[in-house]
Amino acid sequence: MFPGPPADPATPTAGSVPSAAPPAAEAARTPGGATGAASARRAWTAPLLLGSAGVLALVIALFGPGLMARGTGELRIPGAGLTTVLRTVLFAALALHLGELLAPQLIRLVRGRPRTAVRSWAVFASLAGAAAAAGQIVRLAAVSDLGITETYGTREGGLLLLIANGLVVAALCAASRRPALALAPLAVVIGAEALRAHPEAYSPEFGAALTVVHLTAASLWTGGLLYVLRTLWLWRGSPAAARALLGRYARLAIWLYAALAATGTASALRRLPLDVVPTSAYGRTLLLKLALMAVVSVLAVAARRRMLRDTDPSAACRLAGREQVVLGLVVVVSAVLTVVPDPHWISLRP
């Protein structure tokens, strides 16, 4: 990912005879040609993998809730696939915006860094998230057979309206000269989403508090890694600075991972009775999320080891890129978790 320019094999030296071999054949026999061929393979492999991951994410979002609930006896959720897609967009918007607020703080600490910076996606992300929240309001109105104004009066409709407005304000802050002001509306959005996700009668305040920490840590991890990877691509000619930035992010990611593990475990033990783990849509979805998180953990540890061992961070960056792709799938599965029914009623059945 950070190779230097290969030596030109066709440049003649004093007393040398120019080779008659075709340029393609000569390049295939030289290390530089091999590096170029590998770079060419990566050039089309990466978009193919990203495209495949995007298609898989869409399939999971549209059909995941129905597949997970098959054979469980749980009530069918109207429009579950569309709701999952909208919630995935909302979670991705939070991650992108919070990541853009976090990662530049790490970049400023890197000495000798290049002066290039990635373009901000925060405005677009927050507006997309606001549109996703508005779409959920429309879907809720259609399912409940209510008018839009009446939907605002419901608990879920009112919280979704707060989320949509908060993201619009965050987009305006991102477009201003003081983008850090977006922290306040984003905090309101996270709080409203945590309350919306926990309407149950048993200790909803505790569940909402766990969700605030979990959603914040997940957004910072996912969005921060994406911003770092975009920056590393611009810094591919400065491997020392790239390695320093990746190291700073890795140290922060350890604490975010610990927060995710602690709050995720507490939420699962609180919300999911152990006797219905394999027989409820929530339990099955949670098992899928845990499997994906195990893959993320392996990739994160492997990237950190390569970063500590190699002076060239290209291998660690490739592993971190794969980690980012799997984290994207985790976001989709997390959206499915917010759509499938609460599993407590299955455990209480005779």
PDB file of all heavy atoms in Angstrom, residues 13 15 19 31 66 76 84 106 117 120 131-132 140 147 158 187 190 199 213 217 226 238 252 264 287 291 332 337 343:
ATOM      1  N   THR A  13      22.165   1.984 -19.002  1.00  0.00           N
ATOM      2  CA  THR A  13      23.327   2.482 -18.287  1.00  0.00           C
ATOM      3  C   THR A  13      24.522   2.437 -19.214  1.00  0.00           C
ATOM      4  O   THR A  13      24.479   1.874 -20.306  1.00  0.00           O
ATOM      5  CB  THR A  13      23.603   1.626 -17.032  1.00  0.00           C
ATOM      6  OG1 THR A  13      23.796   0.280 -17.439  1.00  0.00           O
ATOM      7  CG2 THR A  13      22.424   1.691 -16.069  1.00  0.00           C
ATOM      8  N   GLY A  15      27.491   1.425 -21.204  1.00  0.00           N
ATOM      9  CA  GLY A  15      28.007   0.133 -21.643  1.00  0.00           C
ATOM     10  C   GLY A  15      26.982  -0.952 -21.676  1.00  0.00           C
ATOM     11  O   GLY A  15      27.325  -2.110 -21.862  1.00  0.00           O
ATOM     12  N   SER A  19      17.446  -3.959 -23.705  1.00  0.00           N
ATOM     13  CA  SER A  19      16.789  -5.254 -23.820  1.00  0.00           C
ATOM     14  C   SER A  19      15.778  -5.223 -24.952  1.00  0.00           C
ATOM     15  O   SER A  19      15.116  -4.221 -25.198  1.00  0.00           O
ATOM     16  CB  SER A  19      16.085  -5.600 -22.499  1.00  0.00           C
ATOM     17  OG  SER A  19      15.303  -6.740 -22.646  1.00  0.00           O
ATOM     18  N   PRO A  31      11.038  -7.162  -9.851  1.00  0.00           N
ATOM     19  CA  PRO A  31      10.251  -6.955  -8.642  1.00  0.00           C
ATOM     20  C   PRO A  31       9.265  -5.810  -8.790  1.00  0.00           C
ATOM     21  O   PRO A  31       8.152  -5.854  -8.299  1.00  0.00           O
ATOM     22  CB  PRO A  31      11.321  -6.658  -7.576  1.00  0.00           C
ATOM     23  CG  PRO A  31      12.579  -7.258  -8.107  1.00  0.00           C
ATOM     24  CD  PRO A  31      12.489  -7.146  -9.594  1.00  0.00           C
ATOM     25  N   GLY A  66     -37.028 -11.243   8.928  1.00  0.00           N
ATOM     26  CA  GLY A  66     -37.919 -12.362   8.621  1.00  0.00           C
ATOM     27  C   GLY A  66     -37.239 -13.705   8.757  1.00  0.00           C
ATOM     28  O   GLY A  66     -37.826 -14.664   9.292  1.00  0.00           O
ATOM     29  N   ARG A  76     -45.196 -11.193  13.383  1.00  0.00           N
ATOM     30  CA  ARG A  76     -44.520 -10.568  12.243  1.00  0.00           C
ATOM     31  C   ARG A  76     -44.530  -9.050  12.407  1.00  0.00           C
ATOM     32  O   ARG A  76     -45.556  -8.463  12.737  1.00  0.00           O
ATOM     33  CB  ARG A  76     -45.216 -10.965  10.951  1.00  0.00           C
ATOM     34  CG  ARG A  76     -44.636 -10.316   9.708  1.00  0.00           C
ATOM     35  CD  ARG A  76     -45.393 -10.759   8.469  1.00  0.00           C
ATOM     36  NE  ARG A  76     -44.969 -10.022   7.296  1.00  0.00           N
ATOM     37  CZ  ARG A  76     -45.488  -8.862   6.918  1.00  0.00           C
ATOM     38  NH1 ARG A  76     -46.465  -8.328   7.642  1.00  0.00           N
ATOM     39  NH2 ARG A  76     -45.050  -8.239   5.841  1.00  0.00           N
ATOM     40  N   THR A  84     -35.327  -1.773   8.927  1.00  0.00           N
ATOM     41  CA  THR A  84     -33.929  -2.112   9.166  1.00  0.00           C
ATOM     42  C   THR A  84     -33.001  -1.305   8.269  1.00  0.00           C
ATOM     43  O   THR A  84     -31.946  -0.826   8.707  1.00  0.00           O
ATOM     44  CB  THR A  84     -33.696  -3.615   8.941  1.00  0.00           C
ATOM     45  OG1 THR A  84     -34.576  -4.358   9.782  1.00  0.00           O
ATOM     46  CG2 THR A  84     -32.263  -3.996   9.263  1.00  0.00           C
ATOM     47  N   LEU A 106      -6.854  12.926  16.772  1.00  0.00           N
ATOM     48  CA  LEU A 106      -5.702  12.024  16.727  1.00  0.00           C
ATOM     49  C   LEU A 106      -4.689  12.479  15.687  1.00  0.00           C
ATOM     50  O   LEU A 106      -3.478  12.367  15.892  1.00  0.00           O
ATOM     51  CB  LEU A 106      -6.168  10.600  16.407  1.00  0.00           C
ATOM     52  CG  LEU A 106      -7.186   9.972  17.358  1.00  0.00           C
ATOM     53  CD1 LEU A 106      -7.595   8.597  16.841  1.00  0.00           C
ATOM     54  CD2 LEU A 106      -6.619   9.874  18.766  1.00  0.00           C
ATOM     55  N   ALA A 117      -5.710  16.626   3.808  1.00  0.00           N
ATOM     56  CA  ALA A 117      -6.836  16.216   4.657  1.00  0.00           C
ATOM     57  C   ALA A 117      -7.961  15.693   3.777  1.00  0.00           C
ATOM     58  O   ALA A 117      -8.165  16.156   2.653  1.00  0.00           O
ATOM     59  CB  ALA A 117      -7.328  17.384   5.504  1.00  0.00           C
ATOM     60  N   SER A 120     -14.767  16.237   4.105  1.00  0.00           N
ATOM     61  CA  SER A 120     -15.751  15.915   5.132  1.00  0.00           C
ATOM     62  C   SER A 120     -17.008  15.325   4.508  1.00  0.00           C
ATOM     63  O   SER A 120     -17.507  15.812   3.489  1.00  0.00           O
ATOM     64  CB  SER A 120     -16.112  17.173   5.920  1.00  0.00           C
ATOM     65  OG  SER A 120     -17.168  16.911   6.824  1.00  0.00           O
ATOM     66  N   ALA A 131     -33.069  12.067   7.005  1.00  0.00           N
ATOM     67  CA  ALA A 131     -34.046  11.518   6.057  1.00  0.00           C
ATOM     68  C   ALA A 131     -34.484  10.120   6.483  1.00  0.00           C
ATOM     69  O   ALA A 131     -35.660   9.754   6.344  1.00  0.00           O
ATOM     70  CB  ALA A 131     -33.439  11.480   4.656  1.00  0.00           C
ATOM     71  N   ALA A 132     -33.546   9.318   7.016  1.00  0.00           N
ATOM     72  CA  ALA A 132     -33.894   7.978   7.480  1.00  0.00           C
ATOM     73  C   ALA A 132     -34.850   8.041   8.672  1.00  0.00           C
ATOM     74  O   ALA A 132     -35.801   7.257   8.763  1.00  0.00           O
ATOM     75  CB  ALA A 132     -32.624   7.213   7.847  1.00  0.00           C
ATOM     76  N   LEU A 140     -44.137   4.563  10.375  1.00  0.00           N
ATOM     77  CA  LEU A 140     -44.918   4.397  11.599  1.00  0.00           C
ATOM     78  C   LEU A 140     -46.333   4.911  11.410  1.00  0.00           C
ATOM     79  O   LEU A 140     -47.301   4.287  11.882  1.00  0.00           O
ATOM     80  CB  LEU A 140     -44.226   5.135  12.751  1.00  0.00           C
ATOM     81  CG  LEU A 140     -44.922   5.084  14.114  1.00  0.00           C
ATOM     82  CD1 LEU A 140     -45.020   3.647  14.619  1.00  0.00           C
ATOM     83  CD2 LEU A 140     -44.172   5.956  15.129  1.00  0.00           C
ATOM     84  N   GLY A 147     -52.294  10.032  11.040  1.00  0.00           N
ATOM     85  CA  GLY A 147     -51.732  11.134  10.287  1.00  0.00           C
ATOM     86  C   GLY A 147     -50.338  11.452  10.798  1.00  0.00           C
ATOM     87  O   GLY A 147     -49.953  11.042  11.909  1.00  0.00           O
ATOM     88  N   GLY A 158     -42.568  10.962  18.451  1.00  0.00           N
ATOM     89  CA  GLY A 158     -41.940  12.155  19.006  1.00  0.00           C
ATOM     90  C   GLY A 158     -40.424  12.024  19.111  1.00  0.00           C
ATOM     91  O   GLY A 158     -39.685  12.976  18.812  1.00  0.00           O
ATOM     92  N   ALA A 187     -25.400  14.338  20.660  1.00  0.00           N
ATOM     93  CA  ALA A 187     -25.668  13.744  21.977  1.00  0.00           C
ATOM     94  C   ALA A 187     -27.168  13.609  22.208  1.00  0.00           C
ATOM     95  O   ALA A 187     -27.646  12.600  22.763  1.00  0.00           O
ATOM     96  CB  ALA A 187     -25.029  14.604  23.073  1.00  0.00           C
ATOM     97  N   ILE A 190     -28.385  10.598  20.174  1.00  0.00           N
ATOM     98  CA  ILE A 190     -28.056   9.314  20.808  1.00  0.00           C
ATOM     99  C   ILE A 190     -28.973   9.057  22.000  1.00  0.00           C
ATOM    100  O   ILE A 190     -29.470   7.938  22.201  1.00  0.00           O
ATOM    101  CB  ILE A 190     -26.578   9.301  21.228  1.00  0.00           C
ATOM    102  CG1 ILE A 190     -25.687   9.264  19.984  1.00  0.00           C
ATOM    103  CG2 ILE A 190     -26.273   8.094  22.124  1.00  0.00           C
ATOM    104  CD1 ILE A 190     -24.207   9.377  20.286  1.00  0.00           C
ATOM    105  N   PRO A 199     -38.621   0.773  25.139  1.00  0.00           N
ATOM    106  CA  PRO A 199     -39.963   1.113  25.637  1.00  0.00           C
ATOM    107  C   PRO A 199     -40.492   0.107  26.652  1.00  0.00           C
ATOM    108  O   PRO A 199     -41.609   0.237  27.119  1.00  0.00           O
ATOM    109  CB  PRO A 199     -40.801   1.077  24.359  1.00  0.00           C
ATOM    110  CG  PRO A 199     -40.155  -0.012  23.547  1.00  0.00           C
ATOM    111  CD  PRO A 199     -38.668   0.069  23.853  1.00  0.00           C
ATOM    112  N   VAL A 213     -24.002   4.470  26.059  1.00  0.00           N
ATOM    113  CA  VAL A 213     -22.564   4.164  26.050  1.00  0.00           C
ATOM    114  C   VAL A 213     -22.225   3.256  24.872  1.00  0.00           C
ATOM    115  O   VAL A 213     -21.228   3.467  24.167  1.00  0.00           O
ATOM    116  CB  VAL A 213     -22.153   3.515  27.386  1.00  0.00           C
ATOM    117  CG1 VAL A 213     -20.662   3.145  27.367  1.00  0.00           C
ATOM    118  CG2 VAL A 213     -22.442   4.458  28.548  1.00  0.00           C
ATOM    119  N   ALA A 217     -19.784   4.375  21.759  1.00  0.00           N
ATOM    120  CA  ALA A 217     -18.515   3.671  21.532  1.00  0.00           C
ATOM    121  C   ALA A 217     -18.479   3.022  20.155  1.00  0.00           C
ATOM    122  O   ALA A 217     -17.467   3.091  19.440  1.00  0.00           O
ATOM    123  CB  ALA A 217     -18.301   2.617  22.616  1.00  0.00           C
ATOM    124  N   LEU A 226     -12.949   4.521   9.818  1.00  0.00           N
ATOM    125  CA  LEU A 226     -13.133   4.904   8.422  1.00  0.00           C
ATOM    126  C   LEU A 226     -12.378   6.191   8.099  1.00  0.00           C
ATOM    127  O   LEU A 226     -11.708   6.290   7.055  1.00  0.00           O
ATOM    128  CB  LEU A 226     -14.626   5.082   8.124  1.00  0.00           C
ATOM    129  CG  LEU A 226     -14.963   5.521   6.697  1.00  0.00           C
ATOM    130  CD1 LEU A 226     -14.457   4.508   5.680  1.00  0.00           C
ATOM    131  CD2 LEU A 226     -16.462   5.729   6.539  1.00  0.00           C
ATOM    132  N   SER A 238       3.855   8.656   3.051  1.00  0.00           N
ATOM    133  CA  SER A 238       4.530   8.976   4.319  1.00  0.00           C
ATOM    134  C   SER A 238       4.259   7.851   5.311  1.00  0.00           C
ATOM    135  O   SER A 238       3.439   7.992   6.226  1.00  0.00           O
ATOM    136  CB  SER A 238       4.032  10.313   4.879  1.00  0.00           C
ATOM    137  OG  SER A 238       4.214  11.351   3.945  1.00  0.00           O
ATOM    138  N   LEU A 252      -6.670   3.925  21.225  1.00  0.00           N
ATOM    139  CA  LEU A 252      -8.011   4.381  21.604  1.00  0.00           C
ATOM    140  C   LEU A 252      -9.045   3.281  21.399  1.00  0.00           C
ATOM    141  O   LEU A 252      -9.970   3.111  22.208  1.00  0.00           O
ATOM    142  CB  LEU A 252      -8.388   5.616  20.787  1.00  0.00           C
ATOM    143  CG  LEU A 252      -9.813   6.138  20.975  1.00  0.00           C
ATOM    144  CD1 LEU A 252     -10.024   6.608  22.412  1.00  0.00           C
ATOM    145  CD2 LEU A 252     -10.097   7.276  19.996  1.00  0.00           C
ATOM    146  N   GLY A 264     -22.461  -4.272  25.980  1.00  0.00           N
ATOM    147  CA  GLY A 264     -23.156  -5.283  25.183  1.00  0.00           C
ATOM    148  C   GLY A 264     -23.506  -6.506  25.998  1.00  0.00           C
ATOM    149  O   GLY A 264     -24.620  -7.046  25.882  1.00  0.00           O
ATOM    150  N   LEU A 287     -26.482 -13.849  18.261  1.00  0.00           N
ATOM    151  CA  LEU A 287     -25.417 -14.824  17.993  1.00  0.00           C
ATOM    152  C   LEU A 287     -24.663 -14.467  16.713  1.00  0.00           C
ATOM    153  O   LEU A 287     -23.435 -14.597  16.651  1.00  0.00           O
ATOM    154  CB  LEU A 287     -26.018 -16.229  17.884  1.00  0.00           C
ATOM    155  CG  LEU A 287     -26.551 -16.845  19.179  1.00  0.00           C
ATOM    156  CD1 LEU A 287     -27.172 -18.208  18.895  1.00  0.00           C
ATOM    157  CD2 LEU A 287     -25.439 -16.982  20.220  1.00  0.00           C
ATOM    158  N   ALA A 291     -20.683 -13.466  16.376  1.00  0.00           N
ATOM    159  CA  ALA A 291     -19.763 -14.121  15.443  1.00  0.00           C
ATOM    160  C   ALA A 291     -19.005 -13.084  14.614  1.00  0.00           C
ATOM    161  O   ALA A 291     -17.784 -13.199  14.405  1.00  0.00           O
ATOM    162  CB  ALA A 291     -20.540 -15.072  14.532  1.00  0.00           C
ATOM    163  N   VAL A 332     -25.287  -3.297  10.332  1.00  0.00           N
ATOM    164  CA  VAL A 332     -26.551  -3.784   9.766  1.00  0.00           C
ATOM    165  C   VAL A 332     -27.224  -4.769  10.726  1.00  0.00           C
ATOM    166  O   VAL A 332     -28.435  -4.685  10.971  1.00  0.00           O
ATOM    167  CB  VAL A 332     -26.309  -4.453   8.405  1.00  0.00           C
ATOM    168  CG1 VAL A 332     -27.625  -4.934   7.806  1.00  0.00           C
ATOM    169  CG2 VAL A 332     -25.623  -3.488   7.446  1.00  0.00           C
ATOM    170  N   LEU A 337     -31.309  -6.041  15.197  1.00  0.00           N
ATOM    171  CA  LEU A 337     -31.603  -6.257  16.624  1.00  0.00           C
ATOM    172  C   LEU A 337     -32.636  -5.265  17.146  1.00  0.00           C
ATOM    173  O   LEU A 337     -33.413  -5.591  18.041  1.00  0.00           O
ATOM    174  CB  LEU A 337     -30.322  -6.139  17.449  1.00  0.00           C
ATOM    175  CG  LEU A 337     -29.483  -7.398  17.663  1.00  0.00           C
ATOM    176  CD1 LEU A 337     -28.233  -7.076  18.463  1.00  0.00           C
ATOM    177  CD2 LEU A 337     -30.288  -8.480  18.358  1.00  0.00           C
ATOM    178  N   PRO A 343     -37.704 -10.599  23.232  1.00  0.00           N
ATOM    179  CA  PRO A 343     -37.871 -12.046  23.420  1.00  0.00           C
ATOM    180  C   PRO A 343     -38.468 -12.454  24.757  1.00  0.00           C
ATOM    181  O   PRO A 343     -38.682 -13.643  24.983  1.00  0.00           O
ATOM    182  CB  PRO A 343     -36.432 -12.560  23.305  1.00  0.00           C
ATOM    183  CG  PRO A 343     -35.597 -11.438  23.820  1.00  0.00           C
ATOM    184  CD  PRO A 343     -36.292 -10.175  23.378  1.00  0.00           C
TER     185      PRO A 343
END
